[in-house]
Amino acid sequence: MENKVDFTYPKREKLKSRKNIDLLFSEGKSVSKYPLRLVYSPIIDSDEKLKFGVSVSKKHFKHAVDRNYFKRVLRECYRLNKHLIHDNLDKKYAIMFFYQTKDRLSYQEINEKTIQLFEKWKLAISEEKANN
């Protein structure tokens, strides 16, 4: 069977569980690549390898239309690049993306930063694994 890359973002991958979101904010670790931040935490009660959510600050973008635009861009960057991290996971994780600047970066810039952030996260996970 050939290894087919899955470029979808199905409903079952969306981070919606209040319990998992609370766990992210209380015990989650993070990696950053300006202007993005990724907060992650291992989860147990999931059938998916990854549960993913996005957040854009109301402080930086007052209008919902602007926040929604950047959330759409972040989800799209995740969808197109999730294969970079999906293959290397041995545990199940909840991850949340944050767009943390007032700067309005282009889609291409955000996509490049997403790839760099995923590479940085892979390193962080492998270092954690080596230390345990």
Side-chain angles (χ1 to χ4, degrees):
M1 190 172 152
E2 67 182 68
N3 190 4
K4 189 174 172 231
V5 179
D6 180 23
F7 289 113
T8 61
Y9 182 41
K11 193 174 186 176
R12 65 179 185 272
E13 270 185 35
K14 292 178 169 78
L15 177 64
K16 294 190 239 173
S17 160
R18 186 101 212 107
K19 190 168 74 172
N20 286 334
I21 294 170
D22 290 344
L23 185 72
L24 265 179
F25 286 105
S26 63
E27 298 174 23
K29 298 179 180 130
S30 80
V31 288
S32 296
K33 186 73 187 165
Y34 176 84
L36 304 175
R37 190 166 130 232
L38 184 146
V39 177
Y40 64 97
S41 171
I43 52 173
I44 301 152
D45 62 341
S46 170
D47 50 346
E48 282 297 308
K49 268 186 162 181
L50 274 178
K51 290 283 193 178
F52 175 78
V54 294
S55 177
V56 178
S57 174
K58 202 175 201 175
K59 184 173 86 179
H60 296 317
F61 297 102
K62 302 288 187 225
H63 301 288
V65 67
D66 297 326
R67 289 193 303 278
N68 292 341
Y69 168 76
F70 283 104
K71 287 194 276 188
R72 266 196 314 276
V73 168
L74 291 174
R75 281 192 293 265
E76 182 67 1
C77 290
Y78 164 76
R79 185 184 73 81
L80 294 174
N81 297 304
K82 72 178 181 178
H83 65 277
L84 296 173
I85 53 175
H86 221 270
D87 306 333
N88 300 38
L89 296 179
D90 57 339
K91 284 192 220 167
K92 297 174 181 186
Y93 286 96
I95 63 175
M96 190 160 229
F97 247 27
F98 294 92
Y99 188 82
Q100 298 189 300
T101 183
K102 285 182 179 171
D103 303 335
R104 294 172 179 268
L105 298 181
S106 71
Y107 169 79
Q108 286 78 16
E109 291 172 304
I110 294 172
N111 197 36
E112 286 170 22
K113 298 292 185 180
T114 301
I115 293 169
Q116 294 168 359
L117 183 64
F118 283 173
E119 297 297 331
K120 196 170 175 180
W121 187 46
K122 281 197 306 195
L123 280 172
I125 289 176
S126 59
E127 285 172 12
E128 276 180 30
K129 213 184 318 180
N131 291 339
N132 289 342

